[in-house]
Amino acid sequence: MIRVVLSFCLSMVFVAAYAQLNTPLQQAQVDVVYLASDYLEGRETGLKGEQLAAEYIAWRFSQMGLQPKGNNGSWYHEFDFTYNPNPHGQGGEARVGKNVLAFLDNGAENTIVIGAHYDHLGYGEFGSLYTGEPMIHNGADDNASGVAALLYLASRLTEDAAAKNNNSLFMAISGEELGLLGSKKWVAAPTIDLGTVNYMLNMDMVGRLNEEKVLVINGVGTSPAFTPALENVKVGGIRIKTTESGVGASDHTSFYLQDIPALHFFSGQHSDYHKPVDDAETLNYPGILSISDFMLAFIEKLDDQGRLEFTATKNESQGRSAASFKVTLGVMPDYVYEGKGMRVDSVIEGRPGQEGGMQNGDVILMIGELEVGDIYDYMEGLSSFKKGQ
């Protein structure tokens, strides 16, 4: 108990000291360090650590002078759910999750939603890729980084004269790790008129911008306005890699399924994903601000275009053969790689790739006699083999 209290006191001293300096970079660091601290115990949905995170985010919104936009004039949109780490098991624990919502009223007809989930995996009971004893999963990149970007954008948009033709709803979303629970619950019972939502921007894992400064943007096919605007944004040397589909493993999907144009901003996968080592010191903080500034410029580009047209998209796997394979190399693909082949982000210990001598950063160009031009070729190539070959 003494250790927990001491840890909390030290984190509060750190927050107070840095908050006085008040530069955007330092503030982003403060936000992540607190949200990804052991004191919050991995921000598992419905537990004390997530409640502390929600209170912190609400406090940050209030300091900016934003309006609470949850239920009954509060900052929170609460929802009931049953937690069960075994999705195929019976029963479960009744819990309450809460989205944190703040509104910037520009007197406009339409509103853009800017969101990032703030929950994570707690001690790793559900969704962890770590195989040891239970440990706190702090989720610095996933997704304290997205919340830091959300808070930065909120502070910038309150004073941005070039982005006044839409209102802004800032949403820190709960329950994403359990299956997009918070965003699904909100679109089913929204705290503003869903018909006024122009488009949605989602930040999930924006803390690891690489040296090539490649930013993945998923969902560009959900509105014809997106690609032309993105092509005209030049910020911080960022290079974008896009996908069309509005369906993905993050909260933008819930909005897309309501016929709302939606994008997901993502700095790339890494070997710390869903493990206890996803900690605050591993992040690229200038990269978080660069991505946020890119998004701000993008919002400004769209500001005078009125109501955006929505277009339905195919899933990325459609139009390609659906890969079904019984073998694996045990490697994690580098989703931001733009060259020929499939670059390996990390090699999983004890799997065939490691045993065969593969290393992080290797690029797979052939599987047997099959050429690998991209990640889809890689998956299709694996599907042609059987165990033992």
Side-chain angles (χ1 to χ4, degrees):
M1 182 63 181
I2 294 175
R3 181 179 178 183
V4 171
V5 172
L6 178 60
S7 174
F8 173 65
C9 292
L10 288 174
S11 67
M12 290 298 95
V13 169
F14 182 85
V15 168
Y18 271 87
Q20 292 177 7
L21 299 175
N22 202 32
T23 71
L25 181 62
Q26 291 161 343
Q27 184 62 65
Q29 292 171 323
V30 167
D31 292 334
V32 171
V33 166
Y34 178 68
L35 293 171
S37 66
D38 283 355
Y39 180 69
L40 269 61
E41 297 185 279
R43 308 187 306 278
E44 185 174 325
T45 304
L47 298 187
K48 179 182 177 182
E50 195 202 38
Q51 171 66 31
L52 291 170
E55 292 173 357
Y56 176 82
I57 295 165
W59 172 74
R60 290 276 285 114
F61 281 149
S62 70
Q63 294 297 105
M64 301 174 200
L66 297 169
Q67 301 176 14
K69 211 63 175 179
N71 298 123
N72 304 316
S74 75
W75 294 104
Y76 308 116
H77 170 263
E78 296 188 348
F79 57 90
D80 298 326
F81 71 101
T82 301
Y83 175 77
N84 189 337
N86 179 5
H88 304 293
Q90 298 296 316
E93 176 187 346
R95 292 187 185 179
V96 177
K98 54 179 63 178
N99 302 314
V100 189
L101 297 125
F103 192 67
L104 175 61
D105 188 355
N106 289 325
E109 181 179 354
N110 296 312
T111 296
I112 60 175
V113 175
I114 304 173
H117 79 88
Y118 73 97
D119 64 297
H120 197 53
L121 304 181
Y123 283 81
E125 186 177 28
F126 181 90
S128 176
L129 297 178
Y130 172 69
T131 57
E133 292 296 316
M135 290 183 65
I136 295 173
H137 289 55
N138 283 320
D141 187 27
D142 187 15
N143 188 36
S145 68
V147 176
L150 173 70
L151 294 170
Y152 174 77
L153 281 170
S155 68
R156 291 294 305 274
L157 283 167
T158 58
E159 55 190 28
D160 189 352
K164 294 297 185 184
N165 289 326
N166 290 281
N167 308 313
S168 295
L169 179 69
F170 305 101
M171 181 181 296
I173 303 169
S174 176
E176 189 269 355
E177 300 286 7
L178 300 177
L180 316 186
L181 289 184
S183 55
K184 288 177 182 177
K185 295 286 188 177
W186 187 85
V187 298
T191 55
I192 66 170
D193 181 357
L194 202 63
T196 66
V197 176
N198 195 351
Y199 59 92
M200 191 270 184
L201 305 180
N202 174 40
M203 296 156 288
D204 191 353
M205 296 177 62
V206 293
R208 297 284 191 101
L209 189 67
N210 63 14
E211 292 182 359
E212 293 93 352
K213 297 186 177 181
V214 178
L215 173 65
V216 175
I217 306 176
N218 301 309
V220 299
T222 62
S223 175
F226 283 154
T227 295
L230 287 168
E231 289 174 346
N232 287 311
V233 176
K234 309 295 180 186
V235 173
I238 285 179
R239 299 159 53 210
I240 63 172
K241 181 178 181 181
T242 63
T243 69
E244 295 284 317
S245 178
V247 175
S250 194
D251 291 303
H252 60 291
T253 301
S254 299
F255 290 82
Y256 168 77
L257 294 176
Q258 298 295 319
D259 294 345
I260 296 170
L263 295 177
H264 167 214
F265 295 79
F266 172 56
S267 63
Q269 190 67 278
H270 49 79
S271 59
D272 296 341
Y273 173 70
H274 279 199
K275 294 179 182 177
V277 289
D278 181 11
D279 286 324
E281 65 269 18
T282 67
L283 299 196
N284 176 356
Y285 290 96
I288 293 174
L289 294 193
S290 291
I291 291 171
S292 304
D293 286 333
F294 182 97
M295 294 178 65
L296 182 64
F298 175 63
I299 292 168
E300 292 172 349
K301 292 288 184 185
L302 294 175
D303 192 57
D304 62 355
Q305 296 197 25
R307 184 80 178 189
L308 301 193
E309 178 186 350
F310 170 79
T311 52
T313 64
K314 293 182 179 180
N315 292 338
E316 291 301 311
S317 60
Q318 295 176 353
R320 309 288 299 257
S321 63
S324 176
F325 43 88
K326 299 180 180 179
V327 298
T328 178
L329 287 177
V331 301
M332 187 175 292
D334 184 344
Y335 291 97
V336 302
Y337 178 61
E338 296 182 298
K340 183 179 179 181
M342 198 285 288
R343 187 164 71 184
V344 175
D345 185 81
S346 63
V347 180
I348 301 173
E349 185 177 354
R351 305 297 290 275
Q354 185 196 48
E355 293 173 1
M358 295 191 70
Q359 299 181 16
N360 297 351
D362 283 350
V363 177
I364 298 173
L365 298 173
M366 301 279 291
I367 299 180
E369 297 181 354
L370 302 173
E371 288 193 14
V372 175
D374 57 24
I375 188 173
Y376 297 104
D377 291 340
Y378 166 72
M379 291 189 291
E380 290 170 13
L382 284 182
S383 70
S384 67
F385 292 94
K386 298 178 181 179
K387 291 183 179 180
Q389 287 184 292

